[in-house]
Amino acid sequence: GKNGTLIILLALSWWCEIATEQTRDECDRAVSDVSWVLTSMLMQYYASRERYVPSSALSQWSKYSLRLQQTKC
């Protein structure tokens, strides 16, 4: 539905908030996976409309994605 992505992001953030030493690596991998999926969706969106992907969109997303990956859950 229209809130599917929001629910995934909320669940991921809640999980990372309560991550323990044993689950921290799994949380980091999940953040990386979700980042990859969202980037792929963005690329597909632009490709389906035969438009170029604005470098500002990619650089903005890359900065955000990198910040997520650097922030340990």
Side-chain angles (χ1 to χ4, degrees):
K2 63 182 179 180
N3 294 319
T5 303
L6 176 61
I7 290 171
I8 290 169
L9 293 174
L10 278 172
L12 184 59
S13 69
W14 290 336
W15 178 29
C16 288
E17 252 184 67
I18 63 167
T20 64
E21 291 293 322
Q22 292 81 19
T23 61
R24 196 166 307 273
D25 286 341
E26 290 178 40
C27 181
D28 289 342
R29 283 194 302 273
V31 168
S32 180
D33 288 348
V34 169
S35 175
W36 179 85
V37 168
L38 293 175
T39 301
S40 297
M41 289 171 64
L42 177 68
M43 300 297 282
Q44 183 61 37
Y45 169 80
Y46 284 108
S48 69
R49 285 158 181 74
E50 297 181 0
R51 296 181 181 172
Y52 73 98
V53 177
S55 59
S56 61
L58 285 179
S59 66
Q60 213 35 28
W61 178 253
S62 295
K63 288 176 190 174
Y64 177 72
S65 177
L66 181 61
R67 194 171 53 225
L68 277 178
Q69 292 173 2
Q70 289 175 342
T71 304
K72 294 295 182 184
C73 295

